[in-house]
Amino acid sequence: MPLFLHNTLTRQKEPFVPLDPHNVRLYVCGPTVYDFAHIGNARPYVIFDVLNRLLRHLYPKVTYVRNITDIDDKIIKAARENNEEIYDLTQRTTRYFQADMGALGNIPPNIEPLATAHVKEMISMIQSLVQKDHAYESEGHVLFSVKSFPKYGQLSRCKHDEMIAGARVEVAPYKRDPEDFILWKPSEEGIPGWESPWGYGRPGWHIECSAMSLKYLDETFDIHGGGQDLIFPHHENEMAQSQACFGPQTFARVWLHNGMLTVNGEKMSKSLGNFITVHQLLEKLPGELIRFVLLSSHYRQPLDWNDQIVIQSRQSLDRLYNALRGRELSKEANIIEPIKTALEDDLNTPLAISVLHDLAGRIYKASTTHEKNELASSLKASGEALGLFQQEPESWFKGKTGIDENTILALIEARTQARNKKDFIEADRVRDELLNAGILLEDTPQGTTWRQQ
């Protein structure tokens, strides 16, 4: 079946037809690098990594761009609070972000542009908007005139009052209308800035993504993605300024937005004490487990992070990895058709996961080693379409224990010596100690092996 995606712009699930089937172009809004990414931030990057993998399976080339916002008022504020240079802060948090996303199994984007490296392109775009009377200068600011663009609101479908209330911008005296948004703002002493036709200053948030997507993906490209919280005002403003600049049929053809993530049924907030960063989670959970949780619900639906879903996801991964254990896997195996069909139906990852479990069940029931190996090879290849099974089964099980492998092996050796001396009380004590740590021992003619229960 063809690939179907739910387009936020039309509010419909539509067949995906790329502008150029030889090069599918995808843009996803990246992080503002002033702190660690939280688990809600990570959800879109995992979702769009699956989309990237699927597109690469279906088309010969994909150009995936995900920006880094490294100039923003939040960054300036955080640097002051930390008493550090802005560059040092953004470099450090960018490295953390990239490492955390890698630990979740995400393939790096083809291009990861820095906003600060593309100010020239932003200034050029703002100049064009001013020349076309879609923007105006006022008190050192340049603002987009929302009333100059009649189609404003087409993406979010917000009403006028809702736009003003949700615009994240102050109602300032230098604005002609309250809903107008900033393209350029002045920078006072001690704040990063660039020379421009409107004086020393820095770009607004929204113009950054329009300029960077233009440079790397052209005036019109295939897919723009992000979280639902970006629909308004960020994506609405991106669309307005880009189409005002280049024409009504330009910019992204398909808009994809993932649902919001809560923690134990509540919106994540530092004041509630439920603010969880990916960095914190990776200290106690495997990245693949975090990824599995984020894929367990359909991307357009809300997802609640809680202990129960983590436990269930760990059990699911244990079952799937156990089906791969001890198998001779063929590197020639392909994604099975039901997995492909599930993902082509608007990235239905829960259905794809259920197909993986069905395939694992067939492995457990298979009567011959050859059949088990063939099915396991298909399971491995199909799981990789979701970014799963990125390690060997034994590494997965051994990585779950809180005891390091050398300690486990030393205890197994101590138990073996106790058994050789017929000190079965000591041997049982060592076995129970390992069992309490979640380690199961299996005595075979070749010796004692262990696995995480």
Side-chain angles (χ1 to χ4, degrees):
M1 64 175 286
L3 171 61
F4 280 81
L5 297 172
H6 187 275
N7 190 349
T8 305
L9 182 62
T10 62
R11 303 299 196 271
Q12 292 181 346
K13 190 160 66 173
E14 305 168 341
F16 174 67
V17 181
L19 289 161
D20 176 5
H22 299 290
N23 182 16
V24 177
R25 289 166 287 164
L26 167 66
Y27 187 91
V28 174
C29 288
T32 300
V33 285
Y34 66 98
D35 203 348
F36 289 112
H38 60 65
I39 188 62
N41 299 142
R43 190 182 188 196
Y45 303 130
V46 170
I47 292 297
F48 292 112
D49 179 71
V50 173
L51 175 61
N52 180 33
R53 291 169 184 268
L54 178 61
L55 292 172
R56 290 176 185 278
H57 180 75
L58 298 174
Y59 299 98
K61 181 181 178 182
V62 176
T63 303
Y64 175 20
V65 179
R66 187 184 68 205
N67 73 291
I68 298 288
T69 295
D70 58 343
I71 180 62
D72 184 87
D73 289 351
K74 291 180 180 178
I75 294 173
I76 295 169
K77 181 175 182 289
R80 284 175 172 171
E81 291 174 350
N82 296 349
N83 194 28
E84 66 178 320
E85 295 294 327
I86 287 175
Y87 178 80
D88 294 336
L89 171 64
T90 58
Q91 286 286 299
R92 174 167 51 82
T93 49
T94 297
R95 288 195 300 270
Y96 285 143
F97 170 78
Q98 292 169 335
D100 289 347
M101 293 307 104
L104 298 185
N106 294 329
I107 299 171
N110 300 96
I111 305 168
E112 198 168 31
L114 299 175
T116 53
H118 296 81
V119 175
K120 179 180 70 173
E121 289 83 357
M122 297 171 203
I123 290 173
S124 175
M125 193 169 176
I126 295 170
Q127 286 179 304
S128 179
L129 289 168
V130 171
Q131 291 168 1
K132 295 178 179 181
D133 293 325
H134 286 296
Y136 60 92
E137 182 182 3
S138 178
E139 299 181 20
H141 297 75
V142 182
L143 298 108
F144 183 87
S145 173
V146 168
K147 285 185 178 178
S148 75
F149 189 72
K151 292 175 66 178
Y152 190 83
Q154 61 185 316
L155 181 65
S156 62
R157 302 187 184 181
C158 288
K159 297 179 181 178
H160 182 78
D161 292 344
E162 294 171 340
M163 291 179 187
I164 296 174
R168 296 187 193 172
V169 292
E170 58 181 333
V171 178
Y174 50 77
K175 291 186 177 184
R176 291 178 185 171
D177 294 292
E179 65 265 39
D180 293 350
F181 58 88
I182 292 174
L183 300 172
W184 187 265
K185 65 179 83 173
S187 290
E188 59 267 28
E189 187 177 351
I191 290 181
W194 291 260
E195 293 298 336
S196 79
W198 319 284
Y200 185 74
R202 61 193 189 279
W205 176 34
H206 312 301
I207 196 68
E208 295 178 359
C209 286
S210 285
M212 287 184 280
S213 63
L214 170 66
K215 178 168 183 177
Y216 296 105
L217 300 177
D218 212 345
E219 294 175 5
T220 307
F221 56 94
D222 294 297
I223 302 170
H224 195 315
Q228 284 181 355
D229 58 321
L230 296 182
I231 296 175
F232 186 85
H234 186 49
H235 287 170
E236 189 71 69
N237 292 352
E238 276 189 71
M239 174 177 275
Q241 64 202 10
S242 295
Q243 292 189 343
C245 211
F246 303 111
Q249 302 303 316
T250 59
F251 209 49
R253 298 279 295 275
V254 179
W255 290 83
L256 300 184
H257 293 95
N258 63 275
M260 302 305 292
L261 182 141
T262 55
V263 176
N264 295 318
E266 295 183 300
K267 183 178 179 180
M268 192 162 30
S269 167
K270 289 183 179 179
S271 62
L272 294 175
N274 65 353
F275 191 86
I276 308 172
T277 70
V278 178
H279 206 71
Q280 290 169 327
L281 284 176
L282 287 170
E283 292 178 352
K284 57 183 179 180
L285 299 176
E288 189 168 347
L289 175 56
I290 299 170
R291 182 184 186 89
F292 195 93
V293 174
L294 296 176
L295 296 177
S296 63
S297 175
H298 192 278
Y299 80 92
R300 287 194 291 113
Q301 300 302 315
L303 172 65
D304 187 54
W305 183 279
N306 55 70
D307 289 343
Q308 189 58 39
I309 196 172
V310 173
I311 292 170
Q312 290 172 348
S313 295
R314 187 185 284 275
Q315 291 171 342
S316 291
L317 273 171
D318 282 353
R319 181 175 184 269
L320 294 172
Y321 262 114
N322 199 51
L324 296 173
R325 210 168 192 177
R327 308 295 171 211
E328 293 183 10
L329 303 179
S330 169
K331 294 182 179 179
E332 306 302 318
N334 294 314
I335 302 169
I336 62 171
E337 198 61 30
I339 291 285
K340 184 168 169 284
T341 299
L343 295 180
E344 287 177 337
D345 184 13
D346 196 28
L347 300 181
N348 193 337
T349 55
L351 178 57
I353 289 171
S354 72
V355 173
L356 292 180
H357 278 291
D358 289 343
L359 190 52
R362 291 172 59 193
I363 295 171
Y364 290 125
K365 294 176 183 177
S367 57
T368 68
T369 300
H370 177 73
E371 185 181 6
K372 287 178 183 290
N373 289 340
E374 283 198 335
L375 291 170
S377 298
S378 296
L379 175 61
K380 179 79 157 56
S382 299
E384 287 173 348
L386 295 170
L388 302 177
F389 309 142
Q390 295 189 21
Q391 57 184 306
E392 294 299 317
E394 294 305 321
S395 298
W396 165 257
F397 287 108
K398 291 180 180 180
K400 288 174 57 184
T401 177
I403 306 177
D404 66 82
E405 185 172 0
N406 289 336
T407 301
I408 294 170
L409 295 176
L411 287 170
I412 290 174
E413 177 60 26
R415 175 176 176 265
T416 300
Q417 292 180 8
R419 292 178 71 191
N420 290 339
K421 296 175 182 177
K422 301 191 183 303
D423 187 352
F424 298 114
I425 294 177
E426 175 61 14
D428 289 345
R429 187 199 66 76
V430 174
R431 180 200 61 200
D432 292 342
E433 179 182 342
L434 288 166
L435 187 61
N436 289 335
I439 304 299
L440 287 177
L441 300 184
E442 296 178 358
D443 294 315
T444 72
Q446 291 75 37
T448 300
T449 62
W450 67 274
R451 65 180 175 86
Q452 178 79 28
Q453 62 176 333

